[in-house]
Amino acid sequence: MSDVEPPELPRGIALAWGVAANPQRGPKREMSVEKIVDAAVELADAEGIGAVSMAAVAAKLGFTPMSLYRYVTAKDDLLLLMQEQATGLPPDEYRVEDGWRAKLRTLFEAQVVVYLSHPWMLSLPISGSPITPNSSAWLDAGLASLGETPLTDAERVAVALSVTGEARWYGLVSAGYTEQSRSSGLTAAEVSAQEAALFDRVISADEYPALRHAIDAGVFTAEDDPFRFAMERIFDGVEAYIAGLDRGEAHVSDVEWIGVEPAEVAGDKKLREARKEVRAAEKALRDARKIERVALRDAHERVGRARKRD
């Protein structure tokens, strides 16, 4: 056994697990951590996370801010508890689905619904692994879905996190379009059409040939769901990987990933200045190539006119 004492739970996490000490004084019955979190979530759902403050939550409950601090001692703890409540538990339906793929698909779609129901969650930073009960339940559900596969524990975590990440990205983009519709009064289809029209004005075939081709193909106004498509292709890859394991094939990747340098994370001044010069050089190169393309097009036109005269 180790003699090292386990770290003390931060108060927010302790509150989430229901093991934090209760306040020794303050209003009884009328106030509780649960009521405070309920009021904060209602505020965030109605007005966004920017509307949530200890004073605003207290006013909503009819108490003073100091009364709240006896129960939730910091706003960061309140945000953690709000996220925990809004996350909720994963749906039991995933358990009865046939196969890991169907189970994970059910969890993916349920997570998307959570983000669309509480878009303010997407603005909260990710500060580490999920240690609260509900967040832990979602990760546990993802791992349980892969329990009958030959994947290692680390591989199961990687797949479960990819589902969560894709759901978050889906929610982030969808919530942005929803907010655009709300603020502009346009329907989702009208927002997409407006976006496509803007792309159409500024994207040329000379500078962005692949993107121009996609625009002309109507991808920005199509009804296809790129996020579900991407999720299914991730599942295809995992399925192929598992099939290889079932055949006894060893999977050793020889791909070298580019690591993140400490200087990049730290924001090294010389590195920033060098990259600024690189961006300026890249812009100059793009401008020069644009001039070259225009000159080439003009030359072709002059040659064409000369041939017609001849």
Side-chain angles (χ1 to χ4, degrees), residues 29-241:
R29 296 181 184 173
E30 298 89 350
M31 179 76 82
S32 68
V33 172
E34 291 76 14
K35 289 182 178 180
I36 292 170
V37 175
D38 285 343
V41 169
E42 287 178 10
L43 267 176
D45 285 345
E47 303 177 39
I49 197 66
V52 177
S53 66
M54 299 299 269
V57 175
K60 185 175 178 64
L61 291 169
F63 289 97
T64 65
M66 287 306 300
S67 300
L68 267 65
Y69 282 111
R70 297 187 182 112
Y71 291 82
V72 181
T73 56
K75 185 179 178 182
D76 285 347
D77 292 344
L78 177 59
L79 294 175
L80 176 70
L81 295 172
M82 290 170 60
Q83 185 173 14
E84 171 71 356
Q85 177 177 300
T87 297
L89 291 170
D92 285 334
E93 289 81 358
Y94 88 92
R95 302 178 188 276
V96 300
E97 295 290 349
D98 185 22
W100 65 266
R101 186 164 179 156
K103 294 179 189 295
L104 289 182
R105 186 183 295 113
T106 298
L107 292 173
F108 166 75
E109 292 179 348
Q111 287 179 78
V112 171
V113 170
V114 169
Y115 287 129
L116 295 182
S117 300
H118 308 285
W120 51 268
M121 292 176 61
L122 296 161
S123 64
L124 300 179
I126 297 175
S127 57
S129 300
I131 306 177
T132 54
N134 290 345
S135 295
S136 298
W138 281 90
L139 181 55
D140 184 76
L143 297 177
S145 299
L146 296 159
E148 300 301 319
T149 70
L151 297 176
T152 66
D153 289 330
E155 289 168 344
R156 291 173 188 173
V157 169
V159 174
L161 291 179
S162 72
V163 174
T164 297
E166 188 67 18
R168 185 179 180 89
W169 174 232
Y170 193 166
L172 184 65
V173 175
S174 297
Y177 275 86
T178 299
E179 174 58 25
Q180 177 69 6
S181 293
R182 186 197 64 78
S183 61
S184 65
L186 301 175
T187 65
E190 289 170 337
V191 170
S192 294
Q194 185 181 71
E195 183 180 66
L198 292 175
F199 267 118
D200 192 56
R201 288 189 61 183
V202 297
I203 301 299
S204 68
D206 287 339
E207 290 188 87
Y208 309 95
L211 181 55
R212 182 67 249 180
H213 184 273
I215 293 169
D216 292 339
V219 296
F220 291 102
T221 54
E223 295 183 0
D224 300 351
D225 190 327
F227 301 100
R228 283 189 169 86
F229 175 86
M231 192 73 259
E232 292 295 341
R233 302 297 72 78
I234 291 173
F235 288 157
D236 286 345
V238 174
E239 197 168 72
Y241 182 84

Side-chain angles (χ1 to χ4, degrees), residues 207 279-294:
E207 290 188 87
R279 288 194 297 270
E282 289 174 340
K283 183 179 184 303
L285 179 60
R286 289 196 301 271
D287 292 343
R289 284 177 173 169
K290 184 175 181 179
I291 294 171
E292 179 188 35
R293 286 192 296 270
V294 171

